[in-house]
Amino acid sequence: MGKEEQGIDQQRYTVIPRTLILLFDGEDVLLLKGAKNKKRWAGKYNGLGGHIERGEDVLTSAKRELQEESGLTDIQLYLCGTIICDVEAFLGVSIFVYKGSIQKVALQPSEEGQLEWINTANLETLNIVEDMQAIIPHVHHWKVGDTLFSATNAYDEEERLVTTFYS
């Protein structure tokens, strides 16, 4: 199909592609506490990941982001689901969620922030990016061989982010 046949129209819903990587060691998840100088989620806990660059496939992006934010390489990552986050009438974010397992190792901070192992039972006590409260347990219970999950994030009347999972 040629470029002119792709149906690109500024009035159609468009998504920005991103990756999210959650690494687990038993009941603990590796999270990044955003550096205080970050534009987004400064001081808040989030998974690893980021934008998919032009010409980059999703898995390569996830591995690049993982290496940039943690220094970790050669980690087996499994695509476990996707999330569409509605932001504006014609703009959203498409998140490709990856899961991996790793034994705890000492990790160095990056420009993005400080990496910390957090027990999944303690998520409610953290200053955490709001959708992570729902996403982390869902990914934690997902097993290799399970069907990929599909989810949406949408803002309610009070501008709170609500995550809904679909089977």
Side-chain angles (χ1 to χ4, degrees):
M1 179 183 312
K3 285 196 280 186
E4 65 283 348
E5 297 176 66
Q6 293 293 335
I8 304 300
D9 179 349
Q10 295 298 325
Q11 297 305 308
R12 294 191 82 165
Y13 189 68
T14 304
V15 294
I16 298 169
R18 293 186 183 152
T19 60
L20 170 64
I21 303 110
L22 294 171
L23 299 179
F24 294 90
D25 181 3
E27 296 301 310
D28 295 337
V29 61
L30 183 62
L31 297 178
L32 181 66
K33 185 175 183 183
K36 293 181 185 202
N37 62 343
K38 285 185 67 76
K39 290 180 186 176
R40 293 175 192 85
W41 52 276
K44 290 187 174 186
Y45 288 87
N46 200 355
L48 289 79
H51 289 86
I52 298 172
E53 304 297 338
R54 184 169 195 245
E56 191 174 46
D57 67 88
V58 178
L59 180 57
T60 299
S61 172
K63 289 182 176 184
R64 175 185 52 76
E65 289 286 350
L66 181 62
Q67 193 278 325
E68 287 176 2
E69 294 179 1
S70 70
L72 295 170
T73 57
D74 299 321
I75 304 295
Q76 183 69 44
L77 297 177
Y78 298 94
L79 180 65
C80 57
T82 60
I83 303 168
I84 298 293
C85 183
D86 281 330
V87 180
E88 297 175 3
F90 293 107
L91 184 62
V93 175
S94 177
I95 306 169
F96 296 86
V97 183
Y98 282 89
K99 179 180 183 178
S101 297
I102 180 175
Q103 291 184 338
K104 288 186 192 80
V105 293
L107 298 165
Q108 299 298 317
S110 72
E111 292 178 10
E112 298 287 328
Q114 178 67 41
L115 293 162
E116 294 181 35
W117 286 100
I118 305 293
N119 189 283
T120 55
N122 298 331
L123 296 176
E124 292 180 11
T125 66
L126 297 178
N127 183 17
I128 191 168
V129 173
E130 61 187 318
D131 59 343
M132 292 283 88
Q133 291 283 0
I135 294 169
I136 291 171
H138 201 83
V139 172
H140 187 231
H141 290 102
W142 184 90
K143 304 289 183 244
V144 175
D146 287 353
T147 302
L148 300 180
F149 70 80
S150 179
T152 57
N153 279 348
Y155 293 91
D156 67 12
E157 312 78 49
E158 283 116 35
E159 294 298 313
R160 291 178 303 210
L161 194 57
V162 177
T163 302
T164 305
F165 290 93
Y166 303 91
S167 337

